Amino acid sequence: MDPAKEYAECPARGKCPVFLAMSSGTVRYAPSGLGPALEGNLGEQLWDTDSQSHPDEGHRPPLEAVPVPWKSHRESPGGLAETPAGEEAQGEEGPAATQLDVSRLRSSSMEIREKGSEFLREELHKAQKELKLKDEECERLSKVREQLEQELEELTASLFEEAHKMVREANMKQAASEKQLKEARGKVDATLFAEFQAWRESPTLDKTCPFLERVYREDVGPCLDFTMQELSALVRAAVEDNTLTIEPVASQTLPAVKVAAVECGRANTCALSGLVCACRHRIRLGDSESHYYISPSSRARITAVCNFFTYIRYIQQGLVRQDAEPMFWEITRLRKEMSLAKLGFFPQEA
């Protein structure tokens, strides 16, 4: 083999990575580490890529080689080949781009962090504001509750005070009533009370018993003693039988009725006393259809007697459940009303 031809070709053409890279066109220079024997013989000769040997079995075939002029480079003192400034810029382009991407990522991360922090600050401010409003509302409701509790306490105290006052007044009135009752007991005729107790043990409407005989003689008889004697007797019997009816005068004209030559159908004349006055009521005896106009004075006298008979009937029927003394004082009051009505004292509405 010719020595010149031997040095013109790379001894490791099929396996050398540099050769493979140059053949594919990805690398345009080669380091000077191939050996001193090849450094002086490479010169500016082109690689003969067509005469390269086939790769060993098991290796991928090299890519199609692109003829690239091979230039020798002087080896630097550090054993590295010198490269032009343009190639160094290309070599530094990758790290610079990576650093730029990292800077952009850092900037984006900081921006996201700042936005997130700002969002959290806003949310915290809103939460604090809402919490403050709720605290104010709670404070207001607390004041309202305290005010209501205070008013309730004052109202309760006022009600208790009023209740105690009412109880105290009631006790004072009861004591006064008991005192008056005791004083009245000393003034009551023992005979009258004894007659009432005897009648109360066996209540009856018989006029022959001492108690009712005295009431008829002293109160009932004089109260129902009117000028028109015949009609007075009829009224007395109707009161005792509880068949007398008193009703207000209607506005329509009623039929005239004559009794003992007295025209009682006239609304300006009392059928019992014969006095000329405004008669706003009339009486009816039993089932009779006749009506008699009566004056307010006559009506008051009849009403007082009817009230007395109504009360003693209640006692007879067992409807009055009291002691003897309260019953006696009620009967005494009713007898007083009969006496006043007989003397002409009666309410104006009568």
Side-chain angles (χ1 to χ4, degrees), residues 69-91:
W70 179 263
K71 297 182 179 179
S72 61
H73 304 278
R74 294 181 59 183
E75 185 177 358
S76 63
L80 297 176
E82 296 180 357
T83 57
E87 294 180 357
E88 291 180 357
Q90 293 180 358

Side-chain angles (χ1 to χ4, degrees), residues 197-215:
Q197 282 186 321
W199 176 83
R200 180 174 173 273
E201 292 177 358
S202 179
T204 180
L205 296 180
D206 187 4
K207 294 182 291 185
T208 59
C209 70
F211 171 67
L212 289 182
E213 192 274 333
R214 179 186 294 273
V215 174

Side-chain angles (χ1 to χ4, degrees), residues 70-141:
W70 179 263
K71 297 182 179 179
S72 61
H73 304 278
R74 294 181 59 183
E75 185 177 358
S76 63
L80 297 176
E82 296 180 357
T83 57
E87 294 180 357
E88 291 180 357
Q90 293 180 358
E92 295 177 354
E93 182 179 358
T98 304
Q99 186 177 3
L100 180 60
D101 294 338
V102 172
S103 300
R104 291 178 178 175
L105 291 175
R106 289 179 179 175
S107 176
S108 300
S109 178
M110 292 180 64
E111 184 178 357
I112 293 173
R113 186 179 303 173
E114 290 177 357
K115 290 184 178 180
S117 300
E118 183 179 358
F119 175 75
L120 292 177
R121 283 194 298 269
E122 292 179 357
E123 291 296 325
L124 178 61
H125 180 69
K126 291 180 180 178
Q128 291 176 349
K129 187 176 181 181
E130 293 178 358
L131 183 60
K132 183 178 179 181
L133 293 177
K134 290 183 179 180
D135 291 341
E136 293 177 355
E137 183 68 15
C138 292
E139 184 178 359
R140 186 184 67 82
L141 293 177

Side-chain angles (χ1 to χ4, degrees), residues 304 307-308 311 329-338:
N307 291 337
F308 171 77
Y311 187 71
W329 287 114
E330 180 64 18
I331 288 178
T332 302
R333 185 188 67 80
L334 294 174
R335 293 182 65 184
K336 178 182 177 181
E337 288 185 358
M338 287 189 290

Side-chain angles (χ1 to χ4, degrees), residues 111-333:
E111 184 178 357
I112 293 173
R113 186 179 303 173
E114 290 177 357
K115 290 184 178 180
S117 300
E118 183 179 358
F119 175 75
L120 292 177
R121 283 194 298 269
E122 292 179 357
E123 291 296 325
L124 178 61
H125 180 69
K126 291 180 180 178
Q128 291 176 349
K129 187 176 181 181
E130 293 178 358
L131 183 60
K132 183 178 179 181
L133 293 177
K134 290 183 179 180
D135 291 341
E136 293 177 355
E137 183 68 15
C138 292
E139 184 178 359
R140 186 184 67 82
L141 293 177
S142 178
K143 291 181 179 179
V144 172
R145 184 184 63 182
E146 292 177 358
Q147 183 178 0
L148 290 177
E149 290 178 354
Q150 184 178 0
E151 292 179 357
L152 181 61
E153 291 178 358
E154 293 178 356
L155 179 60
T156 304
S158 176
L159 290 176
F160 273 110
E161 184 179 357
E162 186 69 21
H164 287 305
K165 182 178 179 181
M166 294 176 63
V167 172
R168 184 169 58 253
E169 292 178 355
N171 293 334
M172 294 175 62
K173 290 181 179 180
Q174 183 178 1
S177 299
E178 291 177 356
K179 182 179 179 180
Q180 292 176 0
L181 179 61
K182 290 180 180 179
E183 293 177 355
R185 285 177 181 175
K187 299 179 182 180
V188 171
D189 189 349
T191 304
L192 294 178
F193 188 70
E195 290 176 355
F196 170 73
Q197 282 186 321
W199 176 83
R200 180 174 173 273
E201 292 177 358
S202 179
T204 180
L205 296 180
D206 187 4
K207 294 182 291 185
T208 59
C209 70
F211 171 67
L212 289 182
E213 192 274 333
R214 179 186 294 273
V215 174
Y216 266 93
R217 185 180 68 253
E218 295 179 358
D219 301 311
V220 175
C223 193
L224 295 181
D225 187 12
F226 295 99
T227 304
M228 305 300 174
Q229 294 293 325
E230 183 179 355
L231 184 58
S232 297
L234 295 177
V235 169
R236 180 174 177 176
V239 170
E240 294 174 355
D241 297 337
N242 197 21
T243 58
L244 185 140
T245 304
I246 301 177
E247 58 187 19
V249 176
S251 59
Q252 65 268 21
T253 305
L254 298 174
V257 179
K258 293 184 179 180
V259 176
V262 178
E263 189 175 359
C264 301
R266 297 166 59 181
N268 58 351
T269 304
C270 178
L272 292 171
S273 63
L275 298 176
V276 178
C277 60
C279 300
R280 296 191 295 271
H281 293 82
R282 64 183 183 178
I283 59 175
R284 183 165 56 88
L285 306 176
D287 296 334
S288 175
E289 296 296 332
S290 301
H291 294 82
Y292 303 92
Y293 293 94
I294 57 175
S295 64
S297 176
S298 299
R299 175 181 177 273
R301 293 167 66 176
I302 295 173
T303 302
V305 176
C306 289
N307 291 337
F308 171 77
F309 276 101
T310 300
Y311 187 71
I312 63 175
R313 287 193 188 97
Y314 286 165
I315 295 176
Q316 182 188 19
Q317 296 172 3
L319 300 177
V320 181
R321 301 182 181 276
Q322 291 179 340
D323 295 334
E325 291 181 359
M327 289 183 183
F328 179 77
W329 287 114
E330 180 64 18
I331 288 178
T332 302
R333 185 188 67 80

Side-chain angles (χ1 to χ4, degrees), residues 10-25:
C10 180
R13 297 174 62 182
K15 300 179 179 180
C16 179
V18 178
F19 178 79
L20 295 176
M22 292 180 65
S23 300
S24 61

